[in-house]
Amino acid sequence: MSEEKTDVVVLGAGIVGVSTACAARQRGMSVVLVDRREPGSETSYGNAGIISSGSITPLNNPSLWKALPKYLTNRHAALRWNPVWAVQNAGWVARFLADSAASRLRPRATALHGLIGASAKLHREWIVKAQAGHRIRETGWLKAWRSDAVAAAKQEQAFLAEYGIASELLDRQAISALETDIVPVYKVGLLHTETASVDSPGAVVKAYARMFAGADGDVRQADVKAIMPDGDRWRVVLAAGEISARHVVVALGPWSAEILRPLGYHVPLAFERGYHREFKPNPARPLQRPIYDIDGGFIMTPMEQGIRVTSGVELTGRDAPSSFAQLDQVVPLARGVAEFGDAVGDAWRGSRPTLPDGLPMIGAAPRHAGLWLAFGNQHIGFTTGPGTGAAIAAMIGGAPPPFDVAPFAPRRYIS
């Protein structure tokens, strides 16, 4: 087999891996980006396409305890869980619940605020450089309640304001003025005014990959068989050949833990599985921005191919059989808000990699020089990908990262 040499091999061509490759190439490193599929074809394809300034509150926050009774019934659209999986992963579940303590909220929110701020800045810069500026909408996103939830909306607004994140509290009439073509089912809304969205997250990731390739980056479509230390370098074994690299970045999303296991790392990675389906829009009654229906437990957002309806979280094995129960539950609710036609294509399913504290791993592997970990970005991976990649590239180059990476250190879970 032939062997070649490069500075960096990035494993995984989702938003995190592509962002890492772009940032490393911008720092003058030779970079090979490897994935079994084309860039942006896996988890990064199937999301709501939101670049969210306000997603600083992890899923496991103090309000989770109040919601647990309805989630334990396993019938709510926002969260379903597999009892067998929960028993087999009782340790992960216990850590996840422990991290929902009130004392754990603000440190994690502060960490995510730094990561999101760096990421949003890069998204807005790169999307223009990648000639995909037509895909971004600076229309914010709307969190909306069917119930009389003024107190909850005000509480969230105040929390965001602590971090300098702007939002607008809306009543039913203000929501109707903002989204003139939806049915007025919402009593309360919170408009995240500094949030942007795109009409195809998969296409944006592909555009970033083309930008990387246009800067003499090397994109490979190949199965990764193994990574092995080789003196002061690394051997990346592909199906057809090997690459020798000074640095290897593991950005394989939900597949990251598997490739690290032979090196002795046991990562407590779980999977927020999610589903979406797209529907033919009515051009005469369009959506202007993503809407998060809090009580319904879904997001609907205008995309290039139509209205995308995304389901809530399903906690189960990464490769467990699909269950479309949540999606089937929320599509009728979405139809009661926005006007759209038949489905376009098949329903989609993906797995979002999640660590118990809701923060990604961003940093050096504890026992192997030149091995870098960049995964676990949970359901805000599209938002946080560029900042994650920029931090990894900076650390590889010996430069300060653009935000405080200490809370994301891999050592908090592996040694």
Side-chain angles (χ1 to χ4, degrees):
M1 292 188 293
S2 62
E3 179 181 275
E4 57 185 298
K5 292 187 176 182
T6 190
D7 292 332
V8 183
V9 172
V10 179
L11 306 180
I15 183 62
V16 173
V18 170
S19 295
T20 304
C22 286
R25 188 72 198 100
Q26 287 178 350
R27 289 182 175 274
M29 304 173 201
S30 57
V31 184
V32 179
L33 174 66
V34 182
D35 200 304
R36 65 181 182 179
R37 298 188 63 187
E38 293 182 1
S41 298
E42 294 279 7
T43 310
S44 295
Y45 171 83
N47 61 79
I50 299 169
I51 304 169
S52 176
S53 63
S55 291
I56 60 173
T57 304
L59 181 64
N60 53 339
N61 62 76
S63 68
L64 177 64
W65 291 101
K66 184 177 179 181
L68 268 183
K70 67 183 179 184
Y71 292 153
L72 288 174
T73 66
N74 223 3
R75 296 176 181 174
H76 200 279
L79 177 65
R80 297 288 178 94
W81 52 282
N82 182 330
V84 174
W85 175 89
V87 171
Q88 293 173 342
N89 295 273
W92 188 94
V93 173
R95 289 185 181 185
F96 179 82
L97 292 174
D99 275 319
S100 65
S103 62
R104 293 284 295 124
L105 175 58
R106 276 178 170 75
R108 292 182 296 156
T110 299
L112 287 173
H113 182 49
L115 170 57
I116 289 171
S119 296
K121 181 180 179 181
L122 280 173
H123 261 305
R124 289 180 168 96
E125 174 187 327
W126 286 354
I127 205 165
V128 174
K129 287 185 177 180
Q131 299 181 351
H134 60 285
R135 296 194 177 278
I136 193 169
R137 299 175 296 241
E138 296 286 357
T139 54
W141 81 310
L142 178 65
K143 299 185 72 171
W145 289 261
R146 296 167 185 254
S147 56
D148 189 8
V150 174
K154 285 185 175 179
Q155 183 179 15
E156 179 173 336
Q157 185 178 43
F159 186 74
L160 294 175
E162 291 181 29
Y163 295 87
I165 301 168
S167 62
E168 295 179 8
L169 189 66
L170 308 177
D171 59 14
R172 191 192 301 271
Q173 289 72 30
I175 293 170
S176 294
L178 187 73
E179 287 284 352
T180 58
D181 293 307
I182 66 171
V183 178
V185 300
Y186 300 120
K187 294 181 179 179
V188 181
L190 190 66
L191 179 66
H192 288 224
T193 54
E194 297 173 347
T195 286
S197 61
V198 302
D199 68 357
S200 176
V204 170
V205 176
K206 285 178 169 57
Y208 291 173
R210 288 193 298 271
M211 178 177 69
F212 164 70
D216 293 329
D218 189 346
V219 181
R220 305 281 181 89
Q221 191 170 340
D223 284 325
V224 181
K225 300 299 184 181
I227 55 174
M228 294 177 284
D230 186 16
D232 61 352
R233 300 181 69 86
W234 284 86
R235 270 197 302 140
V236 180
V237 182
L238 307 178
E242 298 182 355
I243 305 174
S244 174
R246 292 173 52 237
H247 301 273
V248 172
V249 181
V250 176
L252 287 165
W255 296 276
S256 297
E258 293 175 11
I259 203 160
L260 292 171
R261 201 168 294 126
L263 297 171
Y265 296 113
H266 299 279
V267 182
L269 199 64
F271 312 100
E272 294 181 37
R273 295 216 311 191
Y275 300 80
H276 83 237
R277 176 163 273 162
E278 293 183 343
F279 300 87
K280 294 179 182 177
N282 179 352
R285 301 182 67 83
L287 277 181
Q288 302 300 321
R289 58 187 53 74
I291 297 177
Y292 180 13
D293 188 312
I294 304 296
D295 299 307
F298 67 91
I299 296 174
M300 54 184 172
T301 181
M303 289 287 182
E304 184 177 40
Q305 302 300 324
I307 302 297
R308 178 176 291 185
V309 179
T310 72
S311 69
V313 170
E314 179 191 28
L315 290 176
T316 187
R318 185 193 64 198
D319 301 320
S322 296
S323 170
F324 297 100
Q326 287 164 286
L327 198 57
D328 292 340
Q329 185 176 351
V330 301
V331 168
L333 294 175
R335 287 192 182 279
V337 180
E339 187 174 313
F340 50 81
D342 295 336
V344 179
D346 297 327
W348 180 92
R349 186 199 86 199
S351 299
R352 295 162 293 200
T354 303
L355 292 155
D357 62 1
L359 304 182
M361 282 191 181
I362 307 174
R367 290 182 284 103
H368 292 85
L371 179 61
W372 304 86
L373 311 184
F375 56 84
N377 297 64
Q378 33 111 353
H379 59 276
I380 55 172
F382 185 73
T383 290
T384 58
T388 301
I392 292 290
M395 287 186 281
I396 290 175
F403 56 91
D404 181 12
V405 296
F408 307 100
R411 286 185 180 274
R412 74 190 194 277
Y413 285 122
I414 57 176
S415 59

